[in-house]
Amino acid sequence: MIGEISHFLSLSAVLLLSLVLIFNLFFFFSKIHPNQLTLSMRLFNQACWLVFISFGMYVYLAISDDFSIAYIANHSNSQLPIFYKITSIWSAHEGSMFLWIVFLTAWSILFINSLNNNHPLKKFTLLMLSLIILGFLLFLLLTSNPFERILPFGAVEGADINPVLQDPALAIHPPMLYLGYVGFVISFSFITAYLLNGNFELQWEQDIKNWSLVAWIFLTIGIALGSWWAYYELGWGGYWFWDPVENVALMPWLAATAFMHSLFASSKSNVLKTWTMFLGILIFALSLFGAFIVRSGIIDSVHSFANDPERGLYLLSFSGLITLFALTIFAYRLPALNSSKLVVTGSKESFLSMNNILMITSIFSIFLGVTYPLIIESINGDKVSIGPPYYNTIFAPLILIAAIFIMISVDALWQRSMPLRRFFTAIAVPVTLSLISMYLIWWTTSVFSILAYIGIFSGLLILFSYLLRVINNLFNKKFINKGSAIAHTGLGLLFFAVSMNSILSYEKNLNLAPGQSILVDKSVQEFSFNDIRVIKASNHDVISAKVSLLQDGREISLNPQKRKYTTRGQITSESSIHATFLKDTYLTIGDQLENGSWTFSLKINYFIKWIWFSAALMVLGMLLTIFKKKVS
Amino acid sequence: MNQLLRFLIVLLPIVVLIFFGKILLVDEDIKFSNFNSKIFPEFQLNDLDGNPVQSGSLNGVKILNVWASWCITCLVEHPFLTRLSEQNIQIIGLNYKDSDLKANAWLKKHGNPYLFSIYDPRGDLAFDLGVTGAPESYLIVNNQVVGHIQGEMNQRKWETIFLPLIQKAKQGS
């Protein structure tokens, strides 16, 4: 019964949103009715609340084990702790789409109510938001209905959550990512409304600045958490795989980052306005593209949901239409928009506009990487795969150029060109320091790889320029933008950590029988396989190995496991990690060989924790920026 | 320049849309037929009546359907499988992680579209096959697994995935 009510509430939301649209279209050509906006707002708010209540009831259904609902029966189980009963809702397509819509609705209702009724863009923004929510609600109910019942009899027991997803990280990674993705519906709708409205005297940047900053923070946290989860919990042994689904999350992130920079420039000195608008539209378009790639199953990936062309077709046409709508208006209004001031070469804005071009190039390269296998397969049926070598080669030079621009722009001024002498003093010190440090790195590690050293150099350039700025700030009282400094230090650290990781990390595959011990290399002097045991747990069997290492003169004990889940028969690998400041020792147990020995994969990962630390710095920097804006 | 830029801003997304539309609508069949065929894994199991399954029983064109009495979607696809068996399509069941008592009762209650069902209570054969859950269906031609459908079998999947493969197999032999 509750299932039907919940279903009914979602359907009512569809009805109310359609009413908002029909009602406004009806009055579009006639004189504006005085209560038009008030009434639309009331309908819209009610529709949003219906979606929330409907989702709340759905959560209740999941907690109370209503296995007559097909989705819950297929993804939950009565034995699960309540926590996982709730997270199981977003462990597959239908439920996660529901969550996606709930977040979409939440952002929309918060934003639209923050605008006062006289705001000239409120009406069009409301219409755009209604249209988008309506489109996705219909997608949910028509092609992926989470409320579907199993008739006439429900299941007695649920099929259980995918064991890989029985992890606390599932509770946060998808929601964070979705909050980020859909948060940009605000900039998308608002910019589209601005273009529809046609009064270009209006200042619009401030209205969406903080909203977009918050969405950016969620997106960054979501991506970083996904990478952290893959490394620590899923036992993939790495932090980034250039998997298509990671790529489609990275594209909106890059667009969003460019958008934020561009937004700072356009709200500060009235330049790059068209860029900002274009990027604002692009972020959400790329988010929708990501949803399409993941949910149509068009590309094989670790994340993809079951293949269903019907869903793919709906998503493609709906997201395609609204994106095309926004871009067409943008193109139509472009001549009128070109009134913003020209950028002075050598000013801070000029570097920001370079940044936009670099970001667009990166996005396009990733887009090509994602679609290239499809293009080839579609032309002659060959299967090709684009892997890390492609992305590494493309990104190394882009990163270097970006780093150089960041370095120079640290000392650049708003709206004014930079004197040549100042330019040279600005770059001399970081470049010299970076070259010396690179030589030291090469001298201590004696490893060389051109791409990695480009990355290291880029990272160091950024780090040293900001270090210099901080010193200047302390001793000469020069101004420093704290948020920007922290975020860019994070970026520099990221480049540095990723590149160092790529040259220093290594992997050894070992074969040992219980009781044996061997010498691995200079660092891991002794690897002893002490014991292996089979343990029965409630819903899985565990094979647990005890290994002790003598690493760099210290004794470490590791405990890698393999689990076989009884309900689904799935086997998962639980790696065991010993972490120190510089490196992680990462051990996974493989299969048993015929002679009774076991295979192990020992990975030594350098600077890996620094990667997430640098993401945390970027988030912190953005948070400071929001905070600062609120004070002034 | 500006004219061209405006034109491109609209044209590029349209090209992308058409491209993905084409993949979804036209290339779908190609995509599915790219399943890498492999030899059916060896096994020693009984059927639901307790008789050992003969290895020769997987010759010819057969559908192997993974099912269980606890599986809800299996009940959903059951009428369709029954219709297939009425059209003389040979379907073998793989009873997955179930008890023979419950499974036999289930067949008795809902009807039995299978020639016989392999009884795999621990999921050993299913594991070797790469089954992720019930229901799943495999197309087997002379001991070779040539096609795979995850989830519910229905008219659309049958027509777009298995039928072309069966026709191809018949032409080949």
Side-chain angles (χ1 to χ4, degrees):
Chain A
M1 189 58 198
I2 294 175
E4 274 66 42
I5 297 176
S6 173
H7 193 178
F8 176 75
L9 292 182
S10 284
L11 284 170
S12 319
V14 167
L15 186 74
L16 289 185
L17 289 170
S18 319
L19 272 179
V20 174
L21 290 173
I22 294 167
F23 176 68
N24 277 285
L25 275 183
F26 186 72
F27 283 106
F28 191 78
F29 297 104
S30 68
K31 217 179 104 208
I32 290 181
H33 194 277
N35 290 330
Q36 185 185 350
L37 190 62
T38 326
L39 183 61
S40 310
M41 276 301 295
R42 194 172 293 167
L43 286 171
F44 181 79
N45 283 338
Q46 280 163 359
C48 292
W49 279 106
L50 287 177
V51 173
F52 299 146
I53 297 169
S54 168
F55 187 73
M57 292 172 108
Y58 201 71
V59 172
Y60 172 78
L61 289 171
I63 295 174
S64 60
D65 297 323
D66 191 335
F67 296 133
S68 62
I69 306 263
Y71 182 79
I72 295 174
N74 281 324
H75 300 99
S76 183
N77 187 291
S78 64
Q79 301 300 312
L80 283 175
I82 288 192
F83 180 72
Y84 288 124
K85 282 181 188 168
I86 299 174
T87 60
S88 76
I89 293 177
W90 52 86
S91 70
H93 169 72
E94 287 88 343
S96 65
M97 196 67 219
F98 201 3
L99 184 72
W100 203 93
I101 292 172
V102 168
F103 287 154
L104 182 71
T105 319
W107 278 107
S108 308
I109 193 174
L110 285 175
F111 178 66
I112 202 77
N113 285 298
S114 79
L115 299 175
N116 73 40
N117 265 354
N118 305 326
H119 198 290
L121 301 184
K122 187 161 184 174
K123 193 177 96 182
F124 282 131
T125 311
L126 177 72
L127 291 183
M128 283 307 291
L129 291 173
S130 311
L131 179 70
I132 294 169
I133 299 176
L134 178 67
F136 281 102
L137 264 180
L138 281 175
F139 171 67
L140 183 78
L141 295 171
L142 293 179
T143 71
S144 7
N145 194 342
F147 303 102
E148 212 156 274
R149 290 269 187 189
I150 306 162
L151 292 171
F153 311 107
V156 187
E157 181 55 289
D160 207 356
I161 190 172
N162 185 336
V164 170
L165 304 178
Q166 265 184 45
D167 188 285
L170 174 72
I172 24 180
H173 160 60
M176 284 287 165
L177 202 59
Y178 293 170
L179 273 174
Y181 275 148
V182 297
F184 289 102
V185 75
I186 290 175
S187 57
F188 180 86
S189 318
F190 198 70
I191 289 168
T192 317
Y194 175 82
L195 292 166
L196 280 169
N197 182 41
N199 173 10
F200 301 132
E201 299 300 307
L202 212 66
Q203 291 298 316
W204 53 275
E205 288 90 348
Q206 287 301 336
D207 287 321
I208 52 169
K209 196 165 178 177
N210 283 342
W211 295 92
S212 311
L213 281 170
V214 174
W216 185 91
I217 287 173
F218 279 125
L219 191 57
T220 312
I221 296 177
I223 296 175
L225 273 178
S227 136
W228 179 83
W229 184 20
Y231 179 72
Y232 278 102
E233 306 296 339
L234 302 186
W236 293 2
Y239 57 93
W240 192 261
F241 299 87
W242 295 108
D243 177 271
V245 172
E246 291 176 332
N247 289 338
V248 296
L250 190 59
M251 284 193 280
W253 187 85
L254 289 170
T257 310
F259 174 69
M260 299 319 310
H261 284 88
S262 197
L263 194 66
F264 292 140
S266 59
S267 62
K268 193 136 199 158
S269 40
N270 231 2
V271 293
L272 301 177
K273 278 188 180 295
T274 44
W275 263 112
T276 314
M277 280 179 220
F278 175 67
L279 288 166
I281 294 171
L282 187 69
I283 309 167
F284 193 60
L286 288 171
S287 297
L288 294 177
F289 176 70
F292 162 69
I293 289 282
V294 183
R295 292 173 193 278
S296 67
I298 199 165
I299 290 177
D300 302 317
S301 147
V302 283
H303 290 75
S304 53
F305 297 98
N307 189 323
D308 188 338
E310 228 169 79
R311 285 177 194 159
L313 215 56
Y314 184 103
L315 269 184
L316 183 70
S317 35
F318 179 68
S319 10
L321 277 180
I322 55 173
T323 307
L324 209 59
F325 175 66
L327 286 177
T328 312
I329 302 170
F330 175 73
Y332 173 71
R333 299 286 199 194
L334 200 56
L337 289 171
N338 269 344
S339 57
S340 68
K341 277 196 288 179
L342 278 177
V343 174
V344 182
T345 315
S347 65
K348 207 153 199 152
E349 293 90 330
S350 67
F351 295 111
L352 286 174
S353 69
M354 285 302 171
N355 172 61
N356 285 346
I357 293 170
L358 283 177
M359 291 293 197
I360 292 284
T361 316
S362 319
I363 293 169
F364 185 74
S365 312
I366 299 179
F367 187 80
L368 198 65
V370 173
T371 47
Y372 188 74
L374 288 172
I375 297 174
I376 293 300
E377 197 183 336
S378 166
I379 292 172
N380 57 13
D382 285 351
K383 285 215 176 247
V384 291
S385 70
I386 299 272
Y390 165 81
Y391 295 101
N392 293 344
T393 342
I394 294 268
F395 273 93
L398 287 175
I399 281 173
L400 181 63
I401 302 171
I404 293 172
F405 285 144
I406 292 173
M407 171 181 67
I408 306 169
S409 72
V410 173
D411 269 345
L413 302 164
W414 291 103
Q415 293 170 10
R416 264 186 299 155
S417 187
M418 185 185 213
L420 204 60
R421 226 188 66 209
R422 190 164 169 172
F423 169 76
F424 283 119
T425 49
I427 64 165
V429 183
V431 171
T432 322
L433 285 177
S434 307
L435 286 174
I436 295 173
S437 322
M438 281 228 301
Y439 178 73
L440 287 176
I441 290 169
W442 178 73
W443 189 65
T444 43
T445 63
S446 59
V447 198
F448 188 77
S449 140
I450 181 80
L451 293 181
Y453 272 79
I454 292 179
I456 294 173
F457 184 61
S458 315
L460 289 172
L461 280 184
I462 302 176
L463 289 175
F464 281 125
S465 6
Y466 277 98
L467 185 70
L468 217 61
R469 190 71 180 182
V470 171
I471 293 171
N472 257 329
N473 171 257
L474 287 178
F475 294 101
N476 304 339
K477 299 278 170 266
K478 258 193 173 178
F479 168 76
I480 186 163
N481 179 344
K482 286 198 197 69
S484 154
I486 291 175
H488 285 108
T489 306
L491 183 73
L493 207 59
L494 179 71
F495 291 167
F496 180 75
V498 167
S499 317
M500 288 301 277
N501 175 275
S502 78
I503 53 169
L504 292 178
S505 305
Y506 61 90
E507 183 180 355
K508 297 260 174 182
N509 289 313
L510 310 167
N511 279 328
L512 274 92
Q516 280 185 318
S517 59
I518 47 167
L519 172 100
V520 181
D521 57 19
K522 260 191 288 178
S523 155
V524 185
Q525 280 126 359
E526 198 180 295
F527 181 104
S528 329
F529 180 14
N530 300 331
D531 188 17
I532 188 150
R533 270 184 308 170
V534 178
I535 310 162
K536 291 245 175 224
S538 65
N539 63 343
H540 56 266
D541 299 339
V542 185
I543 298 169
S544 172
K546 271 200 179 148
V547 173
S548 58
L549 298 182
L550 191 64
Q551 188 179 27
D552 304 322
R554 264 186 303 175
E555 181 98 7
I556 302 163
S557 60
L558 292 170
N559 185 20
Q561 296 183 336
K562 260 176 107 161
R563 294 185 182 166
K564 186 169 178 181
Y565 284 81
T566 30
T567 331
R568 285 181 175 234
Q570 196 166 347
I571 292 180
T572 66
S573 193
E574 305 284 311
S575 38
S576 174
I577 302 167
H578 176 82
T580 60
F581 181 66
L582 274 187
K583 63 186 177 189
D584 278 13
T585 309
Y586 190 101
L587 184 68
T588 332
I589 184 166
D591 297 319
Q592 188 171 24
L593 302 176
E594 281 180 10
N595 60 12
S597 66
W598 289 78
T599 59
F600 288 93
S601 151
L602 177 71
K603 292 197 180 83
I604 310 291
N605 291 320
Y606 279 85
F607 290 98
I608 191 126
K609 275 190 304 300
W610 294 39
I611 292 170
W612 296 295
F613 177 66
S614 52
L617 279 183
M618 288 192 238
V619 168
L620 181 69
M622 262 317 181
L623 275 174
L624 280 182
T625 311
I626 299 178
F627 188 65
K628 192 185 74 188
K629 293 285 135 66
K630 275 192 181 144
V631 171
S632 64
Chain B
M1 178 57 208
N2 219 334
Q3 284 283 340
L4 183 69
L5 186 67
R6 291 167 71 190
F7 183 62
L8 279 180
I9 288 172
V10 179
L11 188 72
L12 279 178
I14 294 181
V15 171
V16 173
L17 275 181
I18 293 176
F19 171 68
F20 280 105
K22 175 191 176 275
I23 289 188
L24 277 181
L25 295 171
V26 185
D27 296 353
E28 194 202 329
D29 304 341
I30 306 170
K31 199 171 157 55
F32 282 119
S33 61
N34 277 348
F35 178 83
N36 290 331
S37 62
K38 60 172 185 188
I39 295 174
F40 197 84
E42 282 177 32
F43 65 97
Q44 279 187 324
L45 289 169
N46 293 347
D47 65 15
L48 275 178
D49 301 328
N51 309 316
V53 176
Q54 303 297 323
S55 57
S57 55
L58 291 170
N59 286 332
V61 178
K62 300 262 159 64
I63 309 290
L64 183 87
N65 176 259
V66 183
W67 69 278
S69 64
W70 47 262
C71 155
I72 310 104
T73 319
C74 300
L75 199 58
V76 177
E77 66 172 6
H78 194 262
F80 184 72
L81 292 180
T82 311
R83 240 184 309 144
L84 284 184
S85 73
E86 280 160 5
Q87 296 162 20
N88 289 327
I89 309 286
Q90 299 188 310
I91 308 173
I92 297 170
L94 175 60
N95 182 254
Y96 174 62
K97 293 195 175 172
D98 207 352
S99 84
D100 45 1
L101 281 174
K102 281 187 193 165
N104 279 323
W106 193 86
L107 288 178
K108 211 167 186 180
K109 186 171 167 192
H110 301 290
N112 186 352
Y114 306 111
L115 294 178
F116 59 89
S117 279
I118 305 171
Y119 181 46
D120 188 11
R122 284 190 309 176
D124 296 335
L125 173 59
F127 186 76
D128 291 337
L129 265 172
V131 169
T132 58
E136 267 181 51
S137 302
Y138 292 85
L139 178 64
I140 296 159
V141 179
N142 295 332
N143 226 18
Q144 287 263 339
V145 185
V146 296
H148 177 209
I149 290 173
Q150 228 170 351
E152 176 204 350
M153 164 83 94
N154 54 31
Q155 187 74 35
R156 187 176 57 79
K157 287 183 186 166
W158 170 253
E159 278 172 6
T160 54
I161 306 171
F162 275 9
L163 262 188
L165 288 171
I166 293 174
Q167 273 152 11
K168 212 166 91 183
K170 280 185 178 155
Q171 282 163 9
S173 60

